[in-house]
Amino acid sequence: MKKILIIGDSISAWYKKLVGIAFEGEAEVYFPNENCRFASYVLRRLPDWKNETGCGDDVDAVHWNAGLWDDLILADGKHHVPLERYREDIERVCETVRILFPKAKMIFATSTPVVEDEYASRFPYYRRYIKDTEAYNAAAAEIVTRYGGSINDLYTLMKDVPASYHSDMTHFYTKSATEKITDQVIHCLESHCDIQGKPLDYDRLFTGETEIVGI
């Protein structure tokens, strides 16, 4: 049976569990029971997550993302993590994945778009901008590709979806968006791990557009 490790920020909160359901009997899907936050946090915690999940050395694929925490602009007007530091952190995560999971295929999921105007109206001290997400995504994609990894471009997938797909200015915790994102993650892992997931019944999993059950 294949082994898949999913590392991600809050965007992955629903799809990582649904991926486990889709691949039941085909792959063991592991993920930390926490928000994996920013790239330097992934770097620091990755060995701990390996131990805590018990996934072992023979993981077939590591699907991971980090970026929206990094490109957040704080009260001092500066990014939480400057772009050059983010690049360093992404590179070190790639190196660490290679050390901890030597046989794994590495897949980086790009950060999804935000509704930047809502930050200005709802948060006096925080900002996120599409241009920053695009810049951080591009930096990560270049580095991950250089390390032989692949890109799951969730940003482009969600860039032009209707506003109703957003559950708030950052997240996509709606039925329509969850189905779209989860299906792409599943298809991506199918192609990289040579496995076949079972179709998910999103009508059964959701009691409404934003109320998920069964996971």
Side-chain angles (χ1 to χ4, degrees), residues 158-208:
M158 305 306 291
K159 183 178 179 181
D160 297 317
V161 298
S164 60
Y165 278 48
H166 283 267
S167 54
D168 59 32
M169 59 208 165
T170 304
H171 300 97
F172 291 93
Y173 296 157
T174 60
K175 176 184 173 183
S176 302
T178 298
E179 180 174 357
K180 192 174 183 69
I181 292 172
T182 303
D183 282 352
Q184 174 148 316
V185 174
I186 290 170
H187 294 328
C188 179
L189 290 168
E190 285 176 332
S191 64
H192 282 83
C193 297
D194 193 26
I195 54 177
Q196 184 67 48
K198 62 183 179 183
L200 294 175
D201 185 351
Y202 292 95
D203 289 333
R204 181 184 63 81
L205 290 166
F206 280 79
T207 59

Side-chain angles (χ1 to χ4, degrees), residues 38-205:
F38 40 93
S40 63
Y41 190 75
V42 175
L43 176 64
R44 168 62 184 84
R45 291 281 285 145
L46 196 52
D48 302 325
W49 292 331
K50 178 182 178 180
N51 292 333
E52 291 167 7
T53 61
C55 60
D57 298 329
D58 57 340
V59 169
D60 296 280
V62 177
H63 183 284
W64 67 287
N65 85 289
L68 284 176
W69 283 62
D70 298 85
D71 71 25
L72 180 67
I73 296 176
L74 303 178
D76 62 358
K78 299 178 182 179
H79 291 103
H80 178 210
V81 179
L83 182 57
E84 284 308 307
R85 172 62 186 277
Y86 176 73
R87 292 180 60 87
E88 294 175 8
D89 292 338
I90 291 292
E91 185 154 6
R92 292 183 67 190
V93 172
C94 290
E95 292 170 349
T96 303
V97 169
R98 290 288 171 246
I99 293 168
L100 297 179
F101 310 106
K103 65 171 288 189
K105 295 180 179 179
M106 181 167 53
I107 306 161
F108 182 83
T110 55
S111 296
T112 47
V114 299
V115 184
E116 59 183 41
D117 292 344
E118 288 194 26
Y119 279 88
S121 62
R122 295 183 60 184
F123 288 94
Y125 301 118
Y126 296 125
R127 295 288 186 276
R128 280 193 174 104
Y129 296 107
I130 289 292
K131 64 180 179 61
D132 291 331
T133 302
E134 291 178 344
Y136 280 60
N137 278 340
E142 184 275 320
I143 294 165
V144 171
T145 302
R146 177 156 41 86
Y147 273 82
S150 302
I151 306 302
N152 184 4
D153 193 0
L154 298 182
Y155 177 85
T156 298
L157 178 73
M158 305 306 291
K159 183 178 179 181
D160 297 317
V161 298
S164 60
Y165 278 48
H166 283 267
S167 54
D168 59 32
M169 59 208 165
T170 304
H171 300 97
F172 291 93
Y173 296 157
T174 60
K175 176 184 173 183
S176 302
T178 298
E179 180 174 357
K180 192 174 183 69
I181 292 172
T182 303
D183 282 352
Q184 174 148 316
V185 174
I186 290 170
H187 294 328
C188 179
L189 290 168
E190 285 176 332
S191 64
H192 282 83
C193 297
D194 193 26
I195 54 177
Q196 184 67 48
K198 62 183 179 183
L200 294 175
D201 185 351
Y202 292 95
D203 289 333
R204 181 184 63 81
L205 290 166

